[in-house]
Amino acid sequence: PAVLLGAPESDSGPGPTQGSWERQLLRAALRRADCLTQCAARRLGPGGAARLRVGSALRDAFRRREPYNYLQRAYYQLKKLDLAAAAAHTFFVANPMHLQMREDMAKYRRMSGVRPQSFRDLETPPHWAAYDTGLELLGRQEAGLALPRLEEALQGSLAQMESCRADCEGPEEQQGAEQEEDGAASQGGLYEAIAGHWIQVLQCRQRCVGETATRPGRSFPVPDFLPNQLRRLHEAHAQVGNLSQAIENVLSVLLFYPEDEAAKRALNQYQAQLGEPRPGLGPREDIQRFILRSLGEKRQLYYAMEHLGTSFKDPDPWTPAALIPEALREKLREDQEKRPWDHEPVKPKPLTYWKDVLLLEGVTLTQDSRQLNGSERAVLDGLLTPAECGVLLQLAKDAAGAGARSGYRGRRSPHTPHERFEGLTVLKAAQLARAGTVGSQGAKLLLEVSERVRTLTQAYFSPERPLHLSFTHLVCRSAIEGEQEQRMDLSHPVHADNCVLDPDTGECWREPPAYTYRDYSGLLYLNDDFQGGDLFFTEPNALTVTARVRPRCGRLVAFSSGVENPHGVWAVTRGRRCALALWHTWAPEHREQEWIEAKELLQESQEEEEEEEEEMPSKDPSPEPPSRRHQRVQDKTGRAPRVREEL
């Protein structure tokens, strides 16, 4: 080691004496650290490195792009509308649920001095801008124009990773939080400290892959970012006839995935078109260097996991299984298989079996996916009688009259300032019924109807896998009088239920604040005596409407919760719109516990009432007096409403 470090040879011979290499190693490490310290002092001034050590709260604020919220206000006051719109858009990309910014964006779009080009992301790294432009040109069959942008994106991605890797060097206290999180905290003596610090540096370098592949404002990286860029490049080169470059890029893809069938077929096609073999034609050198270096670092990190008890989360799905120590493979496989429902693609179901799953009398399939111009969508009618709709409407009215609102705070809607929002969960309804504030019949019906919807949704969309209720919410939206003129917003903006929709790219990011575990959604309507309030589906651009559904009593709109079904609600401009919103999940750990608690609470109340009736028998039966807690409801035909045995 001393010779490799360039240390002088000892007098005893050509090799270092025992223990001398340790001194040389330590001397080299200290020299390197001193170099870094001096560099920081020259660039940042005395004590400059200390100024870089900011708290986690400040780092989080910049990650959430909060400074741009203040910037757009300052630019607006300075009458610099173009910069104000750009700052607002930059903040909104990272905070798509921010209601005030959504309203500000709508105002900017109506201003004459703001152009569509003003809504740009000021934080987009160059490699992402080039990548998006290249994909857009490739989608328009303009491969010649797309090639330089795609190559620029790849080179920019590699350069961004190098910059990120350089940031991994430095004092340990700069990344103390990450070090503790990854289990690489230094313990023991000098050698333990050196090993811990080196493991920390390697872990940081590996994280750079994910950071480079993460879109601005998002929390999770795009999977296989580099291999996907190489795929686009070899396709574009082939389209313009650059077969040598196409072969180089497809061979680079095979470095990541040697068994990729699509890449193998493309390689054979390119070689056949090229004709004579070209000696020296192989994968890209920059990709070879990247893979060799990455695999070398992974090998060290897996060794540390096996022998030193550290942790490492591999950011790459292409890592060869042979690289992972056999003792770790089973544990890593179990970790990857913990949540298969998040990764299984939605499979379209045939509609031929629908007649066999009409479990409720009077329920009809009004529109299927084909008629709704989408996938995994259905409209079912007849799930409620008019009398049952009346019971649930009265339940919502009584709960709101008692000041009970659950699900959101305050009287204003969380989605628009021009409507009032009233929400009621099943547990809150059961608690109010137990207290005598609302009728117990309505609370029981709320539970029963939610189970009715779950049964039908599972039978129609997921007969092979059980669905569980994830959340049940009785919601009413009321138009605020005097605030409906020239209204431009929606009652509920276009969104998807289990991912954050990005209309600019058409992508949907399955990450918080979205409820990623939701698999199917349902809306059961209770009334239609209002203006506006129609549900509509769109393309992923959130602009092109593909289908529209008018609410009516007993109508259920059910659909899968992902990017294939972006939807919104037109503004409610008069009256009060009520519906039962339900979400279902394949994940049993996300089953709605409040639903179980509400059922137990109502059963206890019923048992107590039965005990009271037994203790106080009446010899002279008389007509039952009207009671708010015990309402007998009949539909127009005089028949009693349907009652399910579960309750």
Side-chain angles (χ1 to χ4, degrees), residues 4-29:
L4 293 176
L5 289 170
E9 297 180 0
S10 64
D11 298 335
S12 60
T17 60
Q18 185 177 4
S20 65
W21 68 270
E22 296 173 318
R23 294 191 297 273
Q24 299 298 333
L25 177 63
L26 180 59
R27 183 179 303 151

Side-chain angles (χ1 to χ4, degrees), residues 235-367:
E235 293 169 1
H237 278 297
Q239 289 181 25
V240 299
N242 298 336
L243 294 179
S244 297
Q245 291 87 340
I247 290 176
E248 286 183 354
N249 284 281
V250 77
L251 286 172
S252 301
V253 174
L254 290 169
L255 289 179
F256 291 98
Y257 294 103
E259 303 302 322
D260 189 321
E261 293 298 331
K264 287 181 179 180
R265 288 194 300 270
L267 178 61
N268 293 333
Q269 178 184 347
Y270 300 155
Q271 289 175 337
Q273 293 176 350
L274 190 61
E276 59 183 24
R278 300 282 182 88
L281 192 61
R284 300 172 58 121
E285 292 185 3
D286 50 4
I287 298 300
Q288 292 184 68
R289 288 195 301 269
F290 168 80
I291 290 180
L292 287 174
R293 183 177 63 184
S294 180
L295 291 178
E297 293 171 353
K298 293 176 193 292
R299 189 175 288 110
Q300 297 177 67
L301 287 167
Y302 280 121
Y303 179 90
M305 282 185 69
E306 185 179 17
H307 298 286
L308 303 180
T310 62
S311 62
F312 169 53
K313 185 177 180 181
D314 197 331
D316 299 310
W318 54 264
T319 302
L323 187 76
I324 305 173
E326 190 172 351
L328 298 176
R329 292 178 195 172
E330 187 62 31
K331 180 181 182 303
L332 295 175
R333 189 181 300 112
E334 291 176 358
D335 292 342
Q336 292 175 354
E337 295 175 354
K338 278 184 179 178
R339 302 193 60 189
W341 43 83
D342 274 355
H343 308 288
E344 291 188 8
V346 176
K347 299 179 181 179
K349 306 296 189 304
L351 303 180
T352 55
Y353 64 86
W354 174 240
K355 293 182 180 180
D356 298 330
V357 296
L358 283 174
L359 305 181
L360 296 177
E361 181 184 355
V363 175
T364 58
L365 175 63
T366 306
Q367 291 177 290

Side-chain angles (χ1 to χ4, degrees), residues 215 218 220 222 499-502 507-511 514:
R215 277 190 178 276
R218 302 273 67 87
F220 296 102
V222 173
C499 53
V500 179
L501 185 65
D502 184 356
E507 297 179 86
C508 208
W509 303 93
R510 202 157 181 178
E511 61 186 45

Side-chain angles (χ1 to χ4, degrees), residues 213-236:
T214 302
R215 277 190 178 276
R218 302 273 67 87
S219 301
F220 296 102
V222 173
D224 273 346
F225 188 46
L226 282 182
N228 283 337
Q229 292 189 65
L230 293 167
R231 292 186 179 101
R232 301 293 181 270
L233 274 169
H234 83 70
E235 293 169 1

Side-chain angles (χ1 to χ4, degrees), residues 393 396 408 411-416 418-423 473-480 484 487 490-493 495 523 525 527 529-535 567-579 581 583:
L393 287 170
Y408 294 98
R411 292 184 58 83
R412 293 276 178 166
S413 167
H415 308 296
T416 171
H418 306 297
E419 298 175 14
R420 289 191 177 89
F421 185 94
E422 298 159 358
H473 207 197
L474 178 57
V475 293
C476 295
R477 310 166 188 269
S478 303
I480 299 177
Q484 304 304 317
R487 186 173 166 186
L490 299 171
S491 179
H492 198 145
H495 64 285
L523 292 165
Y525 298 110
N527 65 321
D529 53 341
F530 51 86
Q531 284 185 357
D534 288 6
L535 176 79
H567 57 283
V569 178
W570 294 115
V572 178
T573 55
R574 183 176 64 82
R576 183 167 174 262
R577 173 192 188 270
C578 293
W583 291 272

Side-chain angles (χ1 to χ4, degrees), residues 531-608:
Q531 284 185 357
D534 288 6
L535 176 79
F536 63 94
F537 294 97
T538 73
E539 297 287 355
N541 61 13
L543 295 174
T544 308
V545 176
T546 58
R548 185 167 181 165
V549 180
R550 177 63 187 170
R552 57 179 291 185
C553 167
R555 169 166 289 176
L556 171 68
V557 183
F559 49 91
S560 56
S561 304
V563 63
E564 65 279 358
N565 283 317
H567 57 283
V569 178
W570 294 115
V572 178
T573 55
R574 183 176 64 82
R576 183 167 174 262
R577 173 192 188 270
C578 293
L580 184 61
L582 308 102
W583 291 272
H584 310 85
T585 178
W586 283 321
E589 68 267 27
H590 288 293
R591 179 184 299 153
E592 185 176 18
Q593 295 302 314
E594 284 196 359
W595 194 96
I596 300 173
E597 295 177 22
K599 183 174 181 179
E600 294 174 350
L601 191 62
L602 289 173
Q603 287 176 340
E604 291 175 3
S605 299
Q606 185 173 350
E607 291 172 359
E608 292 174 0

Side-chain angles (χ1 to χ4, degrees), residues 384-561:
L384 294 172
T385 66
E388 288 174 325
C389 288
V391 171
L392 294 177
L393 287 170
Q394 188 63 43
L395 172 67
K397 183 178 180 181
D398 291 343
R405 297 179 184 86
S406 50
Y408 294 98
R409 297 178 180 176
R411 292 184 58 83
R412 293 276 178 166
S413 167
H415 308 296
T416 171
H418 306 297
E419 298 175 14
R420 289 191 177 89
F421 185 94
E422 298 159 358
L424 185 65
T425 62
V426 288
L427 181 57
K428 189 65 176 180
Q431 292 170 343
L432 293 174
R434 181 75 179 266
T437 306
V438 301
S440 61
Q441 184 184 8
K444 291 179 181 179
L445 183 60
L446 181 64
L447 275 180
E448 189 273 317
V449 167
S450 62
E451 176 61 18
R452 192 186 304 176
V453 172
R454 187 203 65 79
T455 302
L456 282 173
T457 304
Q458 176 178 316
Y460 188 72
F461 291 113
S462 182
E464 302 90 0
R465 299 176 65 183
L467 277 178
H468 310 278
L469 279 168
S470 174
F471 188 49
T472 308
H473 207 197
L474 178 57
V475 293
C476 295
R477 310 166 188 269
S478 303
I480 299 177
E481 294 184 8
E483 297 189 14
Q484 304 304 317
E485 291 186 7
Q486 298 182 345
R487 186 173 166 186
M488 302 289 291
D489 64 338
L490 299 171
S491 179
H492 198 145
V494 176
H495 64 285
D497 285 341
N498 67 11
C499 53
V500 179
L501 185 65
D502 184 356
D504 293 334
T505 63
E507 297 179 86
C508 208
W509 303 93
R510 202 157 181 178
E511 61 186 45
Y515 298 94
T516 57
Y517 49 83
R518 291 176 175 175
D519 295 298
Y520 288 94
S521 308
L523 292 165
L524 179 60
Y525 298 110
L526 306 182
N527 65 321
D528 61 1
D529 53 341
F530 51 86
Q531 284 185 357
D534 288 6
L535 176 79
F536 63 94
F537 294 97
T538 73
E539 297 287 355
N541 61 13
L543 295 174
T544 308
V545 176
T546 58
R548 185 167 181 165
V549 180
R550 177 63 187 170
R552 57 179 291 185
C553 167
R555 169 166 289 176
L556 171 68
V557 183
F559 49 91
S560 56
S561 304

